[in-house]
Amino acid sequence: MDLEIKDLINSSIKSLTPYEPGKPIEDLEREYGIKNAVKLASNESPLGPSPKVLTALEEVISGVHRYPDGNGFRLKEALSSKHSVDMSVLTLGNGSNDIIEFVARCFLSPKDNAIYSKYAFAVYPLIVQALGAEGIEVEAKDWGHDLQSMLEAINKDTKIVFIANPNNPTGTFIKKNEMIRFLEKVPSQVIVLLDQAYFDYSNYESEDVSFSLVEDFPNLVISRTFSKAYGLAGLRVGYSVSSSNIADYLNRVRQPFNVNSLALAAAESALKDDEHLEKCLRINKDEKERLYKYFISHGYDYIESFANFVSFDCKDNSNEVFKSLLPKGVIARSMDIYKMPNHLRVTIGLPEENSIFMESLTSLNES
Ligand SMILES: *Cc1c(COP(=O)(O)O)cnc(C)c1O
């Protein structure tokens, strides 16, 4: 048969390059025959989940032959009471990446465009391209979102503006008042997806916008995740708050059982352990200061971060530095896919993990 699969593939999908995840620890340990490698590549919580989560998982694991609650009632109830929002404004996702996809699928058609910043999360251009819509990348300002330029980029075909705040991979943060002033200027027919994957970290250091903003801006969708500060990245659970009207549509494109029963139970119990969250945020803040001091004393320029990672100019091709750190048992993240060829992103780990990272980086320059 002469027919080639590539001739059958939808043209929007044909040119997609897959999202490249951080290198798994098992891969590194297998390839280099080493143990106790340190993964600081995917902004995961170094503390892991709350002990309450582990207990909750034990309780539900014997029930995995049943389908999960397709409406996620108990998790929605817990989120609703924690954040004082009505259950009808919530949409649950298989990670907040799922939410990003729902929003894109609900609002974008091939003739439309969506706006995002240079150096913003790699998933936004991917989903826009997959849907055959046009992605408009706006030049960044000081490594972060240039909100004025983003407003100016909006045209009659714009359906969505993506904002990650704090931003990944740069860690930059738009303060509350500036965010509100921006939202006031966005035309009401344009959806703003405010991706707050790192909300817990930013809000710990500077008051961030809360879900109540959705009442003032019916075109606003705010997404959050359990993957970062709550330490549940492997279970895949995130959610959004929007008008109930938008939530109704988001729920129509959602697969019936998109969040599994373990993830639902884990997220519900994670919300009950404020102490564990606080511990995670405190370690992150203290260790970030330690990393900053190291960068300053070793002459590295870093981007001030409001999240659980720091991107810094490693004074070399970051892919080379990334590779040189691997045999030392350290997995960081090269930023060349983000068009930041000299920046390396390092997730803030536990004190001993960060020490290993700093010692390894120092030793590269001595050898
Ligand atoms: C990590 C991250 C997410 C969260 O992804 P999940 O699918 O919830 O694991 C979303 N947005 C940004 C900007 C991120 O860095």
Side-chain angles (χ1 to χ4, degrees):
M1 202 168 80
D2 287 342
L3 192 64
E4 291 209 54
I5 292 297
K6 71 173 171 43
D7 299 325
L8 302 175
I9 298 284
N10 169 336
S11 61
S12 308
I13 304 296
K14 205 182 290 179
S15 53
L16 277 185
T17 26
Y19 176 82
E20 202 182 311
K23 192 177 181 65
I25 288 190
E26 294 79 27
D27 284 15
L28 179 75
E29 296 188 339
R30 197 171 49 239
E31 286 164 22
Y32 290 87
I34 52 178
K35 284 209 160 31
N36 306 320
V38 175
K39 185 184 177 203
L40 302 172
S42 302
N43 305 340
E44 297 144 337
S45 165
L47 266 189
S50 147
K52 287 196 168 72
V53 166
L54 302 181
T55 310
L57 286 173
E58 274 166 29
E59 280 166 17
V60 295
I61 199 147
S62 63
V64 294
H65 56 303
R66 302 285 179 204
Y67 279 102
D69 172 5
N71 289 318
F73 180 84
R74 287 180 53 139
L75 175 56
K76 281 189 180 171
E77 198 175 44
L79 286 167
S80 157
S81 77
K82 174 136 193 140
H83 297 297
S84 310
V85 294
D86 197 87
M87 280 170 70
S88 66
V89 304
L90 293 163
T91 305
L92 301 182
N94 188 265
S96 56
N97 273 301
D98 215 17
I99 301 282
I100 297 169
E101 187 157 343
F102 300 161
V103 172
R105 284 173 60 206
C106 279
F107 294 98
L108 280 182
S109 303
K111 61 181 184 351
D112 302 326
N113 70 58
I115 293 172
Y116 40 79
S117 177
K118 191 173 182 185
Y119 315 127
F121 194 37
V123 167
Y124 311 149
L126 277 181
I127 182 66
V128 173
Q129 191 188 334
L131 292 168
E134 183 197 358
I136 300 180
E137 184 184 274
V138 173
E139 193 57 49
K141 190 167 113 191
D142 301 328
W143 302 107
H145 294 77
D146 181 343
L147 295 182
Q148 187 54 38
S149 298
M150 292 183 88
L151 282 173
E152 285 161 15
I154 293 173
N155 63 32
K156 65 173 190 359
D157 296 324
T158 303
K159 289 288 169 64
I160 305 175
V161 177
F162 292 98
I163 307 261
N165 199 46
N167 185 40
N168 176 18
T170 60
T172 54
F173 178 61
I174 302 157
K175 293 242 162 74
K176 185 177 173 177
N177 289 341
E178 197 188 341
M179 183 66 80
I180 292 172
R181 281 199 303 275
F182 167 75
L183 290 167
E184 283 166 351
K185 291 183 204 144
V186 175
S188 58
Q189 77 276 12
V190 175
I191 298 296
V192 177
L193 176 54
L194 177 57
D195 178 344
Q196 290 188 330
Y198 302 96
F199 169 84
D200 301 282
Y201 302 99
S202 55
N203 197 48
Y204 193 64
E205 300 189 26
S206 170
E207 191 193 356
D208 204 343
V209 300
S210 67
F211 290 140
S212 62
L213 214 57
V214 166
E215 290 162 26
D216 303 328
F217 301 101
N219 56 333
L220 176 64
V221 179
I222 300 180
S223 65
R224 290 196 198 163
T225 182
F226 286 92
S227 297
K228 307 286 157 65
Y230 285 100
L232 303 183
L235 285 173
R236 315 302 304 125
V237 51
Y239 62 100
S240 64
V241 169
S242 64
S243 69
S244 55
N245 202 355
I246 290 180
D248 178 37
Y249 286 103
L250 298 180
N251 275 294
R252 292 184 202 193
V253 298
R254 191 175 62 79
Q255 292 285 323
F257 304 107
N258 65 327
V259 186
N260 71 69
S261 46
L262 299 184
L264 287 171
E268 185 192 338
S269 62
L271 287 174
K272 293 182 192 138
D273 198 344
D274 289 338
E275 217 174 294
H276 186 76
L277 179 66
E278 166 75 25
K279 185 174 166 195
C280 163
L281 300 176
R282 196 178 56 245
I283 293 176
N284 188 72
K285 188 167 190 281
D286 293 348
E287 287 299 299
K288 191 166 64 184
E289 292 302 326
R290 231 180 110 221
L291 279 170
Y292 284 173
K293 281 196 186 120
Y294 169 85
F295 289 139
I296 291 168
S297 66
H298 288 73
Y300 290 106
D301 281 337
Y302 62 88
I303 303 171
E304 191 187 355
S305 169
F306 284 78
N308 64 341
F309 56 84
V310 184
S311 287
F312 67 102
D313 184 338
C314 60
K315 300 190 276 197
D316 200 344
N317 178 288
S318 76
N319 219 10
E320 294 303 318
V321 177
F322 162 76
K323 282 193 240 156
S324 310
L325 287 170
L326 291 178
K328 298 182 181 288
V330 175
I331 313 175
R333 193 74 169 262
S334 160
M335 290 292 102
D336 59 358
I337 62 147
Y338 283 101
K339 301 176 201 144
M340 299 167 68
N342 287 346
H343 276 79
L344 199 70
R345 190 189 71 193
V346 61
T347 301
I348 301 165
L350 295 173
E352 54 274 27
E353 296 175 320
N354 300 326
S355 297
I356 293 172
F357 161 72
M358 291 186 273
E359 284 156 21
S360 302
L361 187 63
T362 304
S363 74
L364 288 187
N365 299 316
E366 287 165 351
S367 53

